């Protein structure tokens, strides 16, 4: 979890190789610990499961000022939150999405657009009236608990070129006698 700042809200825990956020009276939000230039591409993907509704926040400026994409039973939701409440921008109905099952959700942010993938297939795109890459971005559990197994962040921001981030790997699954290549930047 060295990729993330201290959580903004909710309860976050690390256990059994997963990072879980539980919403209470406010959603659970934890943002990434670095920013990219507003003109850069941001590509987020995560394998996770929900008991309620969870996914990503992006273009986040305050605890009640951000955009989001979430999955919940039967749907994917794109929306935004302001001090006036929660607003839905688009809903993609998908009856195959069930609670307590791992899915890989991805979002690509560039300029004013967001593209959403589920298990590698494009499911939605949306264009906003303003940049979607100039705020913070990270993880969201809107209701219930969202348990993240893996999270990947990619960007073409040149300021990240020679930076290194903590990487971990589970070598326990390697077959005996199989050569294991160490992780590098």
């Amino acid at each position: 979890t060295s990729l993330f700042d201290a959580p903004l809200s909710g309860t976050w825990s690390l256990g059994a190789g997963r990072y879980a956020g539980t919403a209470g009276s406010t959603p659970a939000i934890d943002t990434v610990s670095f920013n990219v230039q507003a003109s850069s591409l941001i590509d987020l993907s995560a394998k996770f499961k929900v008991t309620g509704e969870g996914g990503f926040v992006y273009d986040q400026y305050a605890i009640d000022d951000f955009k989001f994409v979430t999955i919940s039973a039967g749907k994917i939701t794109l929306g935004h939150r302001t001090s006036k409440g929660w607003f839905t921008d688009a809903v993609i109905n998908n009856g195959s999405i069930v609670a307590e099952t791992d899915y890989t959700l991805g979002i690509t942010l560039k300029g004013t657009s967001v593209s959403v993938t589920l298990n590698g297939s494009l499911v939605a795109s949306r264009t906003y009236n303003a940049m979607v890459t100039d705020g913070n971005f990270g993880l969201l559990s809107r209701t219930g608990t969202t348990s993240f197994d893996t999270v990947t962040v990619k960007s073409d921001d040149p300021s990240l070129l020679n930076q290194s981030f903590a990487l971990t790997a589970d070598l326990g699954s390697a077959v005996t006698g199989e050569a294991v290549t160490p992780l590098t930047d």
Side-chain angles (χ1 to χ4, degrees):
T1 61
S2 62
L3 180 64
F4 298 97
D5 289 326
L8 296 176
S9 60
T11 303
W12 289 87
S13 62
L14 185 60
R18 297 182 80 99
Y19 190 46
T22 302
S25 58
T26 61
I29 298 174
D30 197 358
T31 55
V32 173
S33 64
F34 61 89
N35 292 315
V36 299
Q37 295 174 4
S39 60
S40 295
L41 176 135
I42 300 169
D43 185 71
L44 297 171
S45 67
K47 180 179 176 182
F48 63 96
K49 59 185 172 182
V50 298
T51 62
E53 181 180 2
F56 298 116
V57 296
Y58 59 97
D59 205 25
Q60 187 267 340
Y61 300 98
I63 196 68
D64 62 355
D65 185 6
F66 55 85
K67 293 175 181 65
F68 64 90
V69 60
T70 58
I71 62 171
S72 59
K75 66 182 178 178
I76 300 168
T77 304
L78 283 95
H80 62 281
R81 170 118 193 245
T82 71
S83 59
K84 295 180 181 180
W86 294 86
F87 299 92
T88 300
D89 299 330
V91 173
I92 299 87
N93 292 311
N94 184 329
S96 66
I97 300 174
V98 295
E100 294 291 331
T101 301
D102 276 323
Y103 296 96
T104 300
L105 183 68
I107 62 171
T108 301
L109 309 170
K110 180 68 176 175
T112 61
S113 67
V114 59
S115 297
V116 181
T117 61
L118 181 67
N119 293 333
S121 296
L122 182 67
V123 294
S125 293
R126 179 161 177 86
T127 301
Y128 288 90
N129 292 329
M131 297 286 287
V132 295
T133 55
D134 56 348
N136 295 319
F137 54 94
L139 309 178
L140 167 69
S141 185
R142 183 173 173 186
T143 62
T145 298
T146 305
S147 176
F148 294 88
D149 184 27
T150 59
V151 177
T152 303
V153 179
K154 298 177 187 177
S155 177
D156 63 356
D157 186 333
S159 69
L160 300 176
L161 184 60
N162 293 315
Q163 292 189 29
S164 62
F165 300 92
L167 300 174
T168 60
D170 177 9
L171 298 179
S173 61
V175 177
T176 304
E178 180 181 325
V180 177
T181 304
L183 292 174
T184 65
D185 286 346

